[in-house]
Every structure is written in C-alpha cells, then in structure tokens.
Amino acid sequence: MSEPVLYPVEDGPGAGRHVDVVVRVLVGLKRSTVLVERQGEPASLYETREHGRETDGLGEAVEAAVREGLENLR
C-alpha cells in the first residue's frame, strides 16, 4: 500500500525527492528538550532549554537542516 499524495507537485523529473525535517519539543515539568532532525540522520539540534526559550534560534536550525538535506539530494 502506498502513501496518499497530499501535495502533488509538477516540477518535472526528480520532483518526487524531498527533504523531511522534524521539529520536536518535549515539554517536561522544569524544562523542555528541543530536537531538529532529518529522517534517518542524527539530530542537528538537541538541547535542553528553560520554559519560554524553546523557540530561540529554532528557525536557523531548521534552515540549516533543510540546506544540508538539499545538498545531499544533489
């Protein structure tokens, strides 16, 4: 059984390749653990942070993970 196509793309040959980036915030009682990872790769960001600081620098970590994933597709 194949997965349904949720977002069809018409970008020509090779359009089926993609970069999956997952952001997880594990919220604990005293602090949170923040992870940014690409599927099958070690986490590019794995930090314990105080509550209220979970999103600090998160955009840059996601951008870096996407850039690295794209480089690996070339």
Side-chain angles (χ1 to χ4, degrees):
M1 178 180 223
S2 64
E3 294 182 18
V5 177
L6 300 177
Y7 307 103
V9 258
E10 300 296 332
D11 290 337
R17 300 180 311 156
H18 59 277
V19 176
D20 288 323
V21 176
V22 176
V23 176
R24 289 189 176 94
V25 179
L26 311 170
V27 181
L29 295 175
K30 295 185 179 183
R31 58 194 156 272
S32 299
T33 301
V34 179
L35 296 129
V36 175
E37 57 190 349
R38 286 193 336 272
Q39 189 173 16
E41 299 288 329
S44 58
L45 176 71
Y46 182 90
E47 294 181 359
T48 302
R49 298 180 174 187
E50 297 299 319
H51 290 292
R53 303 202 54 137
E54 290 91 347
T55 62
D56 291 355
L58 198 53
E60 292 88 0
V62 171
E63 287 180 22
V66 170
R67 276 195 298 276
E68 189 174 318
L70 291 172
E71 284 297 318
N72 291 339
L73 289 179
R74 295 186 175 120

